[in-house]
Amino acid sequence: QVQLVESGGGLVKPGGSLRLSCAASGFSFGDYYMTWIRQAPGKGLEWISYISSASNSPSTKYADSVKGRFTISRDNAKNSLFLQMNNLRAEDTAVYYCARMQPLDYWGQGTLVTVSS
Amino acid sequence: QSVLTQPPSVSAAPGQKVTISCSGSSSDIGNNFVSWYQHLPGSSPKLLIYDNNRRPSGIPDRFSGSKSGTSATLGITGLQTGDEADYYCGTWDSSLNWVFGEGTKLTVL
């Protein structure tokens, strides 16, 4: 069955960096667009980035709130999705989910990122 | 980037029917398929409806979706206490960003 498992969350100071991973199984990972979505405490779902299925130079897209600070990438050989988060801010505190597109039919369990001094 | 408008909350009694609206524009809903997600407390979001009105396997027919122009609607009949959750619509916008609605909290009284 399809499974997505995020890891890499934790506590980080403002201005710091963190790299999230999403391990995929149960489907042909390389055939699908993948996305990261987050939910800040008490807030709704916020799409932050997606990456196309192309093996060579996949296209990427970012929400304005993370553009220039976050980088999405994938390793189709390892069935893995990544989110490199730099220059983190307090407002980046959230549960981060990876999901298969589209529609967003499978989601991981989420990983908590807390940005605080 | 677009934001889709949903009512903050809706409520109804067990066994009753409720609808949740999602309002957008010609830049998003008007030219794209809409999907709906259920987010139960402590769980990951779950796809309920895709392509405006299609249900994934395993989703009961108590859940339905429709779209007209720049708005979409999620309907839930035969309400159960287990349906208490946050519900989100989602679609693409004209810049190929994915956008979510603001979310609607369903209370089953």
Side-chain angles (χ1 to χ4, degrees), chain A residues 6 53 55 58-59 87 95:
Chain A
E6 302 95 336
S53 55
S55 296
S59 60
N87 191 19
V95 175

Side-chain angles (χ1 to χ4, degrees), chain A residues 39 50 61 64 104 108-109, chain B residues 1 37 39 44 95-96 98:
Chain A
Q39 184 177 37
Y50 69 75
K61 202 86 160 93
D64 290 343
L104 284 64
Q109 84 288 352
Chain B
Q1 285 154 349
Y37 304 87
H39 195 186
S44 302
S95 298
L96 297 181
W98 183 262

Side-chain angles (χ1 to χ4, degrees), chain A residues 11-14 115-117:
Chain A
L11 175 63
V12 61
K13 289 181 167 54
V115 184
S116 174
S117 55

Side-chain angles (χ1 to χ4, degrees), chain A residues 99-114:
Chain A
R100 190 176 83 168
M101 292 185 107
Q102 85 96 10
L104 284 64
D105 56 356
Y106 290 94
W107 298 62
Q109 84 288 352
T111 187
L112 177 62
V113 172
T114 303

